[in-house]
Amino acid sequence: MAEEPKTITAEQKAFYDENGYLLLEKFVSDAWMDRLWDVTNRFVEESRTVTKSNIKFDVEPDHSADNPRLRRLSQPVEHDPVYKEFAFNGPIVDLAADLLGPDVKFHHSKLNFKWSGGGEEVKWHQDIQFWPHTNYSPLTIGLYMSDVDDEMGPMGVIPKSHDAELFDLYGKDGAWTGYIADDDIGRVPLQDVAWLKGPRGSVTVHNCRMVHGSEPNRSTRVRPLLLHTYSAADALTLEPSIVANRPLSNSIVRGERAKWARFDPRPCLMPPDWSKGYVSIFDVQQKDKDNAA
Ligand SMILES: O=C(O)CCC(=O)C(=O)O
């Protein structure tokens, strides 16, 4: 028999299963938020030494030492023990166990900054085509590190889209775009969008098939969103290149390693070979703009 969830109610668990997302206001304590901010501020300082994107920092084209404009810190878990402790033992792991448990695997983490005064949009997409697995259990938990309102480009999700079509994220020329093409987006009920906003410490959860995205940050405040992806332990990755140099990916964070892999009969689009170079979704989606800049 399934265990009762510990961090959410049975209704919230049922809401996630039906709609593919959750928003939990002030889920993470102030003590945790202060610790995460301390390390994050250090990385923003360090980013001043960077002139263009690399595997650690993804920066906007006009990022500079005097005016840092970070898009993403990739794999925070690998850069500081506080981030690792949060990903492996923090309150979101209990939440992941409630939604996926009892056996839970960590896949990856990232910190999307969406800088003030225009921090970039994330076009409508689904995540699982970037890192296909044998089943569709993977989900991403996002932590808002500041209060987030409509102006700041909150995460937008299309309820129930996790149970609908899985889209082709390659463009007409056969190149990976990382977003749903204009010709296809008409099949997504964008009018149903739920914008997930909340005070500092709030968390968002979205399933890996969920259509989601976010607008540019038009406010004067940065919108850091710390994202962690977990899966049921019986979901095995079908494209190892994205985790090839990530020693912590595929760590079991709750329960046991799976004895049997579970296969969903629905097909999954395969991404390009990421070992040939991957920085972030911003880098992929904004390529034309960056190259023009
Ligand atoms: O930062 C956001 O608003 C969305 C992030 C996202 O969808 C992603 O990184 O895949």
Side-chain angles (χ1 to χ4, degrees):
M1 213 174 69
E3 275 190 34
E4 280 291 302
K6 295 188 179 68
T7 63
I8 49 175
T9 63
E11 289 72 31
Q12 286 171 316
K13 163 89 169 77
F15 182 94
Y16 172 78
D17 290 339
E18 187 183 343
N19 294 285
Y21 76 97
L22 270 183
L23 172 67
L24 302 170
E25 290 206 353
K26 290 196 168 178
F27 184 80
V28 175
S29 68
D30 273 340
W32 256 119
M33 296 311 301
D34 290 345
R35 290 181 70 198
L36 291 167
W37 265 114
D38 277 351
V39 285
T40 301
N41 286 332
R42 271 198 275 122
F43 283 105
V44 173
E45 280 311 300
E46 185 186 325
S47 80
R48 291 178 190 271
T49 60
V50 164
T51 52
K52 62 180 178 46
S53 296
N54 58 35
I55 54 165
K56 183 169 176 183
F57 293 111
D58 179 15
V59 296
E60 291 186 12
D62 54 352
H63 169 90
S64 68
D66 294 339
N67 182 26
R69 292 193 64 83
L70 270 169
R71 294 195 289 210
R72 176 179 283 180
L73 171 67
S74 298
Q75 298 306 323
V77 286
E78 286 167 20
H79 305 307
D80 192 282
V82 172
Y83 287 132
K84 183 177 171 206
E85 189 187 334
F86 185 71
F88 280 55
N89 290 309
I92 59 167
V93 188
D94 296 326
L95 174 59
D98 281 343
L99 293 167
L100 298 165
D103 304 317
V104 182
K105 194 160 60 165
F106 169 78
H107 187 256
H108 73 279
S109 68
K110 55 207 173 197
L111 174 51
N112 285 353
F113 282 92
K114 206 181 272 274
W115 216 261
S116 52
E120 282 163 357
E121 72 170 328
V122 178
K123 296 176 191 172
W124 297 113
H125 69 285
Q126 292 156 308
D127 291 334
I128 194 67
Q129 300 93 320
F130 285 77
W131 25 262
H133 281 64
T134 55
N135 63 55
Y136 293 105
S137 66
L139 54 76
T140 298
I141 301 179
L143 168 65
Y144 282 135
M145 294 186 60
S146 309
D147 298 351
V148 171
D149 59 25
D150 279 319
E151 246 198 327
M152 293 169 75
M155 164 92 77
V157 296
I158 309 300
K160 299 190 168 76
S161 58
H162 70 307
D163 259 347
E165 183 173 349
L166 194 70
F167 289 91
D168 186 341
L169 304 186
Y170 289 91
K172 285 202 177 89
D173 61 358
W176 181 262
T177 64
Y179 60 87
I180 301 174
D182 290 348
D183 288 352
D184 296 335
I185 199 73
R187 300 199 294 280
V188 179
L190 294 180
Q191 70 281 2
D192 295 345
V193 61
W195 297 110
L196 308 181
K197 296 161 280 183
R200 163 180 132 133
S202 299
V203 303
T204 63
V205 185
H206 67 272
N207 175 264
C208 63
R209 292 178 62 104
M210 166 66 65
V211 175
H212 64 288
S214 58
E215 295 195 343
N217 180 359
R218 300 191 173 86
S219 78
T220 52
R221 286 149 291 138
V222 181
R223 190 227 61 177
L225 173 61
L226 180 59
L227 296 149
H228 292 84
T229 298
Y230 301 93
S231 72
D234 60 11
L236 301 196
T237 182
L238 293 171
E239 177 46 66
S241 65
I242 198 152
V243 291
N245 297 314
R246 297 177 179 174
L248 298 173
S249 288
N250 295 327
S251 302
I252 297 295
V253 289
R254 284 285 187 279
E256 308 281 326
R257 185 172 181 270
K259 184 170 169 195
W260 297 85
R262 181 163 50 99
F263 289 82
D264 190 297
R266 293 169 291 180
C268 190
L269 184 79
M270 294 301 288
D273 178 353
W274 295 128
S275 66
K276 299 202 161 62
Y278 179 70
V279 174
S280 79
I281 192 170
F282 297 101
D283 179 64
V284 172
Q285 290 192 349
Q286 308 287 340
K287 242 188 177 52
D288 298 346
K289 204 161 112 192
D290 288 5
N291 290 343

